Amino acid sequence: MSQNELSLQDVPETGETKERQAHPFHTLKELLDYVSGRTLPAATPEEAVLSEPLPFPFLAIVGQREMKLALLLGLINPLIGGILLIGPRGTAKTTAVRSLLDILPSVERSLCYYGCLPEDIQTGGISAVCPDCAKKYGEGLPLSAPGRVRLVELPLNTRLEDVVGGIDEQVSIDHDRKRIRRGILARADRNLLYIDEINLLADDIIDAILDAAAQGAYTVHRDSLSATYRARFVLIGSMNPEEGHLRPQIMDRFGLRVIVHGLDDPTQRLEAYNRVHAFHNNQRNLIAFYRDEMQGAAREIQSARQQLSKVDLPDKVANPAIRLIHKLGIDSLRAEITWFEASRAYAAADGRSRVTPQDLQVVAPMALRLRRSKFMTGFFNDQIVEEEELVGLLAGLNRKVK
Ligand SMILES: [Zn+2]
């Protein structure tokens, strides 16, 4: 086996050879620190002639450490329950999400339009897949192949019909029979679903998305037909709080919450400008400049995903965290689910199989902020007052009875 073929799993923990040539980071922390530390060479101005916009390299985004960490944790562990990016316009939220395109990990993907997977047959029998796949399965042909996670963006002005799916008009006309067309949610299965300006989305659409995200599946009923689809996706939402609120119930459904600020440091701002300028001048040049590191980051993420199932959270680490949540007055159980899953992802990225209190500490702000509801606190306080009043009145009543 040559040096280049060495996989991360084969490298001993203490090995100095671990991908040294490809990139200088071995942990998520090093990766994040590395991002801000590189200066571009002087750019040669060149007109870019591209029909398709290419993604800005993730590693070229200056600063915004917490946003980048949240997005990477979401790639490593889909169980963190989604990511909400909150901040004003022009703070690279959408750029950061799209920049994930080149570092997305690989998953087992269906080869069929209807998204049939071998596990459907294991759980629901042969009738759980479409006739084509049932035939293939009988012939011993594969129903799935490894494929990259995709970034699915919810288009602006999307309709509920597009989101959940509806009658496939073309099939109805051509074949005189009705079939349900897969919606965006079904296409988002095992992918990332990005919704920009989520606070401006219609209530029925956002409810459908959140229900599907919570269940990992959803059923569509159209005319006499119904179909159930898998929808296990990592939801990424972004919003500008100046443009409207997000209902508290919706806010609670997001695992990690990142407050994205503009860059404060003038040096960082200039560096960010230089990179954006270099990108506009020649997209492919900037992408090529980061290629090796981006490939290294993609490998780190893939290997962290494989490591994740081995990561254990000991009770003695978890218990103080639960007490802290109680102390903060947070009711939602999603707080600890997100907090613990994000910590496991962080430990996995570090190549460890046990969560430490430090892991919990790093991801705590993202998992716990904006969880305490002013309404609920007020509600409980009002309840206490009401209860006391009732007890007092009842005592009075008892005295009168006697
Ligand atoms: Zn199929």
Side-chain angles (χ1 to χ4, degrees), residues 315-363:
D315 284 356
K316 68 172 197 297
V317 178
N319 278 325
I322 300 272
R323 284 199 294 275
L324 184 98
I325 289 173
H326 182 71
K327 216 168 155 183
L328 284 168
I330 296 170
D331 292 303
S332 176
L333 266 174
R334 290 194 183 90
E336 50 261 48
I337 295 172
T338 293
W339 194 11
F340 293 166
E341 291 302 330
S343 305
R344 290 182 60 238
Y346 194 81
D350 206 16
R352 285 178 283 112
S353 55
R354 183 157 295 174
V355 174
T356 64
Q358 288 72 35
D359 297 329
L360 283 167
Q361 211 172 344
V362 171
V363 300

Side-chain angles (χ1 to χ4, degrees), residues 112 116 130 133:
C112 151
C116 309
C130 75
C133 286

Side-chain angles (χ1 to χ4, degrees), residues 69-83 234-235 253-256 334 337-343 345 371:
L69 175 60
L71 293 171
L72 291 176
L73 294 174
L75 293 187
I76 294 167
N77 187 359
L79 295 180
I80 60 161
I83 301 152
V234 173
L235 183 61
R253 304 284 276 271
F254 278 94
L256 301 178
R334 290 194 183 90
I337 295 172
T338 293
W339 194 11
F340 293 166
E341 291 302 330
S343 305
R371 291 261 178 215

Side-chain angles (χ1 to χ4, degrees), residues 172-347:
S172 305
I173 295 162
D174 294 350
H175 301 280
D176 198 26
R177 64 191 168 100
K178 284 180 178 169
R179 202 152 80 174
I180 292 180
R181 178 174 40 80
R182 277 150 64 80
I184 293 167
L185 289 179
R187 292 207 302 274
D189 186 42
R190 313 204 88 175
N191 289 322
L192 307 179
L193 179 61
Y194 176 50
I195 308 175
D196 191 14
E197 305 201 34
I198 189 165
N199 48 334
L200 305 183
L201 207 59
D203 286 350
D204 57 344
I205 293 178
I206 200 156
D207 289 341
I209 293 169
L210 291 173
D211 285 345
Q215 315 269 337
Y218 69 101
T219 302
V220 198
H221 301 279
R222 288 288 179 275
D223 299 347
S224 56
L225 300 174
S226 77
T228 299
Y229 298 105
R230 280 212 172 75
R232 301 155 297 179
F233 49 82
V234 173
L235 183 61
I236 304 173
S238 67
M239 62 173 278
N240 175 358
E242 293 162 327
E243 286 171 353
H245 291 291
L246 199 60
R247 281 185 283 152
Q249 310 92 289
I250 299 171
M251 181 76 90
D252 181 57
R253 304 284 276 271
F254 278 94
L256 301 178
R257 307 93 183 291
V258 179
I259 309 286
V260 190
H261 302 279
L263 298 172
D264 292 328
D265 178 6
T267 320
Q268 280 198 341
R269 285 192 87 105
L270 183 59
E271 187 57 33
Y273 164 76
N274 285 339
R275 290 182 192 183
V276 170
H277 178 70
F279 187 67
H280 285 309
N281 259 343
N282 191 322
Q283 299 189 358
R284 287 185 198 283
N285 262 358
L286 189 83
I287 289 167
F289 183 72
Y290 283 96
R291 182 164 296 127
D292 289 350
E293 288 86 353
M294 290 286 281
Q295 285 170 356
R299 278 197 299 274
E300 291 288 330
I301 290 160
Q302 190 73 45
S303 106
R305 263 175 93 106
Q306 280 150 5
Q307 173 74 12
L308 185 70
S309 61
K310 301 177 199 122
V311 180
D312 172 53
L313 173 64
D315 284 356
K316 68 172 197 297
V317 178
N319 278 325
I322 300 272
R323 284 199 294 275
L324 184 98
I325 289 173
H326 182 71
K327 216 168 155 183
L328 284 168
I330 296 170
D331 292 303
S332 176
L333 266 174
R334 290 194 183 90
E336 50 261 48
I337 295 172
T338 293
W339 194 11
F340 293 166
E341 291 302 330
S343 305
R344 290 182 60 238
Y346 194 81

